[in-house]
Amino acid sequence: MIMLPLAQSLHRHSHADHFDTVTLSYGGRFLRRKRLETDGGTSFVIDLEKTESLDQGDALELSDGRLIEVRAASEEVLVVTGNNLPRLAWHIGNRHTPCQIEASRLLIQNDPVIKHMLAHLGAQVAEAVEPFTPEGGAYGHGRTHSHEHGHSAHDHSHVE
């Protein structure tokens, strides 16, 4: 039986030197315990105390002290532009849709229902494939949900 390196520590927005990187989708960056592989091919197990939302630039510290930088994977998104971005952002947020907010555009996951709503509101919406790094929750890091997800019958914290 081969023992994989274990990552139990998370460093937010680490600027230290990194041994390697791990590139994960938005959904893949929400985890507690899982087997992962770095971009360089090193397998390891992440085993955090609680489910965390990892951000681009965070680092996972392996048991031997090496750091693995977290990168956001490119994925299908909608690029939203228009004359009234604050109004469009409000409608996106009102539907609890994760949103990456930039000065001249908004990025959301590709969702045909939200796309239709935004077009109805006068937005220009284009499909793209880009890294997706939406805003965290109102109280710091994490997803946009207003509550914390604890362990339940639907907890997917197993090692794959």
Side-chain angles (χ1 to χ4, degrees):
M1 179 178 196
I2 297 173
M3 294 295 293
L4 296 177
L6 186 63
Q8 293 180 299
S9 298
L10 172 63
H11 302 274
R12 295 291 180 184
H13 306 287
S14 172
H15 297 289
D17 288 333
H18 299 98
F19 159 73
D20 206 341
T21 58
V22 62
T23 303
L24 302 167
S25 67
Y26 175 65
R29 293 192 312 270
F30 189 63
L31 50 85
R32 188 192 81 74
R33 184 168 176 21
K34 189 172 187 177
R35 181 177 190 253
L36 297 173
E37 186 173 309
T38 67
D39 297 330
T42 301
S43 293
F44 68 100
V45 173
I46 181 171
D47 186 12
L48 300 173
E49 185 176 312
K50 61 181 181 163
T51 302
E52 297 277 359
S53 180
L54 308 180
D55 295 326
Q56 170 129 333
D58 288 348
L60 301 168
E61 184 176 349
L62 299 180
S63 50
D64 63 7
R66 293 180 293 172
L67 295 177
I68 308 294
E69 181 182 15
V70 176
R71 290 190 179 164
S74 291
E75 52 192 295
E76 293 183 10
V77 295
L78 297 176
V79 179
V80 181
T81 57
N83 292 334
N84 195 342
L85 279 182
R87 178 174 179 254
L88 297 172
W90 184 90
H91 281 283
I92 291 168
N94 192 45
R95 280 143 187 93
H96 301 280
T97 300
C99 183
Q100 180 175 329
I101 300 170
E102 298 178 1
S104 61
R105 67 186 194 155
L106 308 170
L107 270 69
I108 61 171
Q109 292 172 307
N110 193 339
D111 180 324
V113 173
I114 302 295
K115 180 180 181 180
H116 181 274
M117 175 204 68
L118 291 168
H120 181 74
L121 292 169
Q124 290 77 50
V125 184
E127 295 180 9
V129 177
E130 297 185 25
F132 182 55
T133 57
E135 293 291 316
Y139 299 101
H141 299 286
R143 304 294 162 142
T144 57
H145 302 290
S146 60
H147 60 278
E148 203 169 308
H149 294 280
H151 296 282
S152 70
H154 303 292
D155 185 13
H156 299 287
S157 61
H158 59 279
V159 175
E160 293 179 4

